[in-house]
Amino acid sequence: MLDRKDLLGLEGVGREEILEILDTAKGFVDIPQRTVKKVPALRGFTVVNAFYESSTRTRTSFEIAAKRLSADTINFAASSSSVSKGETLLDTAKNLMAMAPDCIILRHQLSGAAHFLSTQVTCHVVNAGDGTHEHPTQGLLDAFTIREKKGAFEGLKVTIVGDILHSRVARSNIHGLSTLGANVTLCAPPTLIPVAVERLGVRVEHSLDRAVAGADVVMALRVQKERMEGGYFPSPQEYFELYGLTNARMKGADRECIVMHPGPMNRGLEIASEVADGPRSVILEQVSNGVAVRMAVLYLLVVGRKTRETAD
Ligand code: CP
């Protein structure tokens, strides 16, 4: 069973560990179709959702996941907590620990915040997105969705197009999908590609037509205006012209190619509505799968560890 205290990123997480999470998630996928959408696996455990940055999908998904496992859930938003009075992450963590939670889910604007928290608390920590670093459960739900649609990862051509530079989703997907055997191509203007990213084993392509040619999966990423100071491209119109996913640009992809986006989307900037809402799109399936994947992560971290401790 997954032998970790925390899930902070997909860098360094092995193929077998990722597959164990995906296989476990598969067992949770049908729970929303049941009359009673609950299993007792985390009854008696407490999960804290600590969100220092705004979120729709991740926060809601973790709360639903924890509740479907019968955990007690506490939601902590920085804007309505004592963080707004100047309390540090460390002091907040110490105070939360004084209330004995079993797991803290942390989203934070600073890269490395989840690693820092994990060194300060004895409970489990799950990174729900830290700055531009990683968003491991998004990478896992993307891998789960790809496996559901494509069956296997080996040799799969996955193109990630958009604001790679600021994207924690891109980093988690690069680590996760490469570990699983997919061939990952990144596509963006040179200003939105991290320096020397090829060292992670990916191909970089600045032409969208070349990047999409023959792709099995195309994942569009949001242009993260909130992390941009100054101009990374001449205009939104020019960006959409060169890097926006349209039906015309998708013509070169494999006939069975699927289109993904982690959300939230800038329609008309990185993706046209005809693609986002079109037959290739699996964007809402990603969201549904996210609940099952987060249930699996919580279950394997919290129950797996307790089971091992009892056995020891
Ligand atoms: N994909 C994702 O992280 O979305 P939210 O910012 O809404 O959580």
Side-chain angles (χ1 to χ4, degrees):
M1 211 172 221
L2 194 70
D3 192 13
R4 289 176 179 268
K5 171 180 167 288
D6 310 304
L7 181 67
L8 305 177
L10 293 188
E11 183 175 13
V13 178
R15 184 172 183 278
E16 295 310 315
E17 288 179 287
I18 295 177
L19 291 177
E20 184 184 16
I21 295 168
L22 303 190
D23 289 343
T24 305
K26 182 89 179 154
F28 289 131
V29 144
D30 71 344
I31 287 181
Q33 275 74 56
R34 298 184 192 172
T35 312
V36 178
K37 301 179 182 63
K38 252 186 193 315
V39 291
L42 285 194
R43 192 167 54 203
F45 293 100
T46 304
V47 175
V48 175
N49 263 323
F51 276 62
Y52 285 70
E53 259 191 352
S54 51
S55 166
T56 296
R57 280 146 290 270
T58 313
R59 200 202 62 73
T60 313
S61 176
F62 266 115
E63 184 174 359
I64 292 174
K67 284 194 155 94
R68 286 197 178 145
L69 291 167
S70 303
D72 296 312
T73 58
I74 311 297
N75 290 312
F76 167 92
S79 55
S80 57
S81 72
S82 290
V83 172
S84 64
K85 300 172 191 165
E87 190 163 38
T88 63
L89 176 60
L90 179 56
D91 280 334
T92 304
K94 284 180 176 169
N95 281 271
L96 289 175
M97 276 314 290
M99 294 180 256
D102 297 286
C103 184
I104 299 176
I105 316 294
L106 181 71
R107 169 165 289 191
H108 201 282
Q109 62 276 15
L110 295 179
S111 300
H115 281 84
F116 172 72
L117 182 68
S118 74
T119 64
Q120 303 299 319
V121 298
T122 51
C123 72
H124 304 280
V125 174
V126 179
N127 181 5
D130 62 326
T132 60
H133 176 230
E134 279 224 40
H135 190 350
T137 57
Q138 180 70 46
L140 290 167
L141 76 88
D142 290 339
F144 184 92
T145 305
I146 291 171
R147 191 167 74 161
E148 287 291 285
K149 295 291 173 189
K150 299 290 171 188
F153 297 98
E154 285 74 17
L156 212 61
K157 292 183 184 171
V158 180
T159 295
I160 304 177
V161 53
D163 181 358
I164 314 287
L165 182 68
H166 300 105
S167 179
R168 52 199 179 205
V169 175
R171 276 167 193 74
S172 289
N173 268 298
I174 290 167
H175 293 304
L177 294 175
S178 300
T179 298
L180 292 167
N183 298 321
V184 179
T185 297
L186 306 180
C187 179
T191 49
L192 291 177
I193 293 279
V195 172
V197 73
E198 293 92 337
R199 283 191 301 209
L200 298 180
V202 296
R203 177 170 80 101
V204 173
E205 181 57 78
H206 299 301
S207 153
L208 181 56
D209 288 336
R210 283 201 295 270
V212 163
D216 300 296
V217 177
V218 174
M219 183 185 298
L221 296 179
R222 185 170 67 89
V223 174
Q224 299 196 29
K225 297 170 202 159
E226 76 277 18
R227 299 193 205 278
M228 293 182 180
E229 287 172 18
Y232 285 81
F233 45 85
S235 70
Q237 292 77 13
E238 184 171 322
Y239 185 87
F240 182 66
E241 185 68 29
L242 291 175
Y243 293 100
L245 278 189
T246 60
N247 281 340
R249 304 308 289 268
M250 286 299 299
K251 281 218 167 76
D254 184 78
R255 275 170 57 88
E256 304 294 322
C257 179
I258 57 170
V259 172
M260 308 177 77
H261 192 303
M265 290 184 275
N266 292 308
R267 289 171 182 261
L269 183 55
E270 69 261 4
I271 191 165
S273 287
E274 63 187 13
V275 178
D277 305 325
R280 295 177 187 272
S281 173
V282 297
I283 292 169
L284 292 178
E285 286 174 68
Q286 290 174 260
V287 178
S288 301
N289 292 335
V291 176
V293 167
R294 288 174 175 124
M295 287 175 78
V297 168
L298 291 173
Y299 174 74
L300 290 169
L301 286 182
V302 178
V303 177
R305 195 173 166 89
K306 288 279 179 284
T307 305
R308 274 193 308 278
E309 283 169 1
T310 310
D312 287 347

